[in-house]
């Protein structure tokens, strides 16, 4: 635990359930923000994909699939 926290609050008297609830609330908020960021990124991807000329769409698709596979492999380390 943080030494400053221990100076301000005696951990013996802090409501651990409440502190855990605050931690979970912060985690939940951060995760929901990350979900919104991911959804926005998908929308941005499709906005960009619509601007690609038909003769370049296969090249774009191949590049995107390569990026997805690379990211999936990075997550498995």
């Amino acid at each position: 635990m943080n030494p400053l926290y221990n100076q301000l609050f005696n951990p013996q008297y802090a409501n651990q359930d409440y502190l855990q609830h605050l931690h979970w609330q912060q985690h939940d908020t951060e995760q929901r923000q990350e979900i919104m960021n991911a959804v926005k990124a998908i929308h941005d991807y499709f906005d960009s994909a619509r601007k690609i000329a038909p003769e370049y769409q296969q090249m774009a698709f191949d590049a995107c699939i390569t990026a997805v596979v690379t990211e999936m492999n990075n997550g498995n380390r």
Side-chain angles (χ1 to χ4, degrees):
M1 186 105 359
N2 182 331
L4 179 60
Y5 178 86
N6 288 339
Q7 290 173 354
L8 295 173
F9 303 101
N10 185 337
Q12 283 182 299
Y13 299 108
N15 183 335
Q16 294 299 317
D17 290 335
Y18 178 69
L19 295 176
Q20 183 65 28
H21 174 73
L22 289 179
H23 174 74
W24 173 251
Q25 231 176 2
Q26 179 181 356
H27 175 74
D28 183 63
T29 300
E30 290 168 356
Q31 291 303 298
R32 289 175 185 270
Q33 182 62 50
E34 289 301 323
I35 291 169
M36 291 188 321
N37 292 345
V39 170
K40 183 185 180 314
I42 293 291
H43 284 292
D44 291 347
Y45 162 78
F46 282 105
D47 287 343
S48 294
R50 283 187 204 94
K51 298 174 186 174
I52 297 171
E55 61 270 21
Y56 291 93
Q57 288 180 355
Q58 185 63 49
M59 185 188 310
F61 177 78
D62 293 344
C64 289
I65 292 299
T66 300
V68 168
V69 170
T70 300
E71 288 298 319
M72 289 176 69
N73 286 334
N74 287 340
N76 292 330
R77 291 182 186 175

